[in-house]
Amino acid sequence: MIELIGLTKQYRSRGKMITAVDEVNLHIAKGDIYGIVGYSGAGKSSLLRCMNLLEKPTRGEVVVNGVELTKLSKEELRLSRQKIGMIFQHFNLITSKTVAENVAFNLKAAGKKKEDIPGRVKELLDLVGLLDKADYYPAQLSGGQKQRVGIARAIANDPHVLLCDEATSALDPKTTESILELLKEINKKLNLTIVLITHEMEVVKEICNRVAVMESGRIVEEGGVYQIFSDPKESLTRDFIDKVMQFSLPDRLMKSSSGTIVKILFREAKAEEAVVSDVLQSCQVKGNILHGKIEYIQDAPLGFFVMELTGEREEVDKAVALLDEKTAGVEVMKP
Ligand SMILES: Nc1ncnc2c1ncn2[C@@H]1O[C@H](COP(=O)(O)OP(=O)(O)OP(=O)(O)O)[C@@H](O)[C@H]1O
Ligand SMILES: [Mg+2]
């Protein structure tokens, strides 16, 4: 659905050249919810804004739904852009217009017949759960409601793609969750491809199927979300994932424990729990769970639990070797 080839964006600022996007190649398939993560200044917004030519690339190609955008005339680009919706961190609503008027504005701009507009506005507001707020002004809405208007407006002209630049960063966790749910629903219902930028891996974990990690204008790692979470290659990727998967054991526990402390990894659909108890029983080793964390990523479990193993030294070693063989892996935290 979206193909970026050798995409480069440079800005000239106070006589200096800044390369915000550096030779990026990226393929986003139809129906993907594609996440782009990176720290501030990595070039995420620049990359996203090149996808609808809000920023004109310095070099490279931007192909959306089979159309090379950089080759289009002004008028052709205007039409192509109607099929690329966008939502923003600060919503960018027209404050002097009501909710219904904000949505109608995009329909009018796209040349929709006047008599068809009210019906379509109603349909859209229903979809985002704001039918009862049609006559409210943006100032009378909560942040989450404003973003719902943003979404209704962005999808008004049945776009192929929805670009989201930190669309939930200004919202509290609960509201974020409800907006992510709405995006997921729209993705399914309308088979809409969604690209979303975020600095929170939590958001990626929640709704994306693929993710790219960006640093200094480049994509340093890219892949399926489960694969990236379970086996990150780059230290930057690991930093992001740690924010979701991190845990710490109190020092006191590590010091006072007389047994062997191991971390047993969970992956995909492996029935680790049964395996663990079988192994411990067969080796006559006792296991005491100290900590555990399981995240569900696209409905597949990913996580670990930390156990203290006690018993004869040889038996404990045998149990660790067996566990390592039969589970997704064991890390000895304290021998
Ligand atoms: N219009 C501009 N003129 C000059 N430099 C710019 C412009 N827009 C962005 N930059 C620079 O390009 C680099 C990438 O910026 P960009 O906004 O794409 O990063 P980002 O990853 O979206 O960051 P954030 O998470 O803070 O939004 C930064 O060094 C920024 O200062
Ligand atoms: Mg940005």
Side-chain angles (χ1 to χ4, degrees):
M1 174 55 64
I2 302 178
E3 197 85 51
L4 305 179
I5 305 159
L7 186 74
T8 298
K9 174 69 192 179
Q10 294 172 321
Y11 300 102
R12 196 176 284 283
S13 169
R14 294 192 194 120
K16 270 200 198 150
M17 188 81 98
I18 296 164
T19 305
V21 179
D22 194 1
E23 292 284 332
V24 164
N25 298 303
L26 193 63
H27 173 80
I28 297 173
K30 185 164 175 58
D32 270 352
I33 304 187
Y34 197 104
I36 299 174
V37 296
Y39 290 121
S40 187
K44 306 179 298 294
S45 294
S46 301
L47 181 69
L48 195 77
R49 292 162 69 88
C50 282
M51 291 183 194
N52 60 1
L53 252 58
L54 225 69
E55 293 287 356
K56 194 176 168 349
T58 309
R59 279 191 301 282
E61 292 174 35
V62 180
V63 184
V64 180
N65 202 29
V67 179
E68 218 288 56
L69 299 185
T70 61
K71 300 258 179 355
L72 298 182
S73 69
K74 234 181 173 166
E75 180 55 19
E76 287 168 330
L77 181 61
R78 196 182 66 82
L79 292 175
S80 274
R81 271 211 189 116
Q82 283 167 8
K83 296 292 179 188
I84 310 175
M86 189 161 186
I87 57 175
F88 306 87
Q89 180 175 0
H90 298 294
F91 324 117
N92 296 14
L93 303 178
I94 307 166
T95 54
S96 59
K97 290 187 189 292
T98 64
V99 165
E101 288 165 354
N102 264 279
V103 178
F105 186 82
N106 269 30
L107 292 166
K108 263 182 224 153
K112 190 147 183 97
K113 277 200 226 127
K114 208 170 172 191
E115 62 267 30
D116 294 339
I117 290 180
R120 178 65 180 150
V121 168
K122 215 169 158 201
E123 207 173 271
L124 287 159
L125 291 183
D126 191 24
L127 183 64
V128 301
L130 281 185
L131 217 40
D132 57 332
K133 300 283 188 291
D135 298 326
Y136 282 50
Y137 285 89
Q140 298 169 305
L141 301 178
S142 70
Q145 290 167 340
K146 282 182 203 167
Q147 196 56 290
R148 285 172 187 271
V149 181
I151 292 170
R153 188 183 59 176
I155 62 173
N157 295 308
D158 299 309
H160 310 296
V161 174
L162 178 63
L163 306 177
C164 315
D165 193 346
E166 303 274 7
T168 57
S169 297
L171 307 173
D172 63 65
K174 217 178 155 70
T175 311
T176 292
E177 208 173 294
S178 78
I179 293 293
L180 295 180
E181 274 307 314
L182 175 62
L183 290 175
K184 226 194 283 193
E185 189 187 317
I186 288 172
N187 163 260
K188 285 230 175 70
K189 234 185 225 169
L190 312 176
N191 196 20
L192 179 69
T193 307
I194 298 180
V195 186
L196 72 90
I197 280 181
T198 177
H199 53 266
E200 289 174 294
M201 214 52 178
E202 194 65 41
V203 169
V204 171
K205 190 202 93 187
E206 220 44 64
I207 69 165
C208 297
N209 64 315
R210 287 190 81 81
V211 62
V213 182
M214 231 183 145
E215 185 179 32
S216 308
R218 291 177 171 266
I219 287 173
V220 295
E221 189 161 4
E222 195 266 342
V225 167
Y226 195 91
Q227 182 226 321
I228 295 279
F229 266 83
S230 57
D231 188 20
K233 303 277 188 255
E234 297 291 323
S235 62
L236 176 65
T237 313
R238 238 171 278 135
D239 282 354
F240 274 104
I241 287 166
D242 276 353
K243 293 202 184 99
V244 177
M245 303 303 290
Q246 212 174 29
F247 79 106
S248 63
L249 270 188
D251 253 5
R252 174 180 51 79
L253 249 177
M254 289 289 270
K255 282 199 186 108
S256 69
S257 147
S258 57
T260 298
I261 299 183
V262 291
K263 181 175 165 191
I264 302 165
L265 305 179
F266 263 80
R267 288 282 187 280
E268 318 253 8
K270 276 197 179 177
E272 318 277 14
E273 254 164 340
V275 169
V276 172
S277 67
D278 282 356
V279 167
L280 297 185
Q281 214 160 37
S282 74
C283 296
Q284 301 202 328
V285 166
K286 276 200 174 138
N288 177 26
I289 294 182
L290 301 180
H291 194 9
K293 186 166 188 177
I294 309 291
E295 291 284 349
Y296 281 80
I297 297 169
Q298 301 190 296
D299 296 330
L302 176 68
F304 61 85
F305 54 93
V306 175
M307 288 183 103
E308 177 190 37
L309 305 180
T310 48
E312 297 288 337
R313 179 80 260 167
E314 269 173 33
E315 291 298 306
V316 170
D317 288 347
K318 202 167 99 189
V320 171
L322 266 175
L323 285 172
D324 191 42
E325 185 187 307
K326 296 196 168 181
T327 67
V330 173
E331 187 186 306
V332 178
M333 297 177 70
K334 184 184 168 195

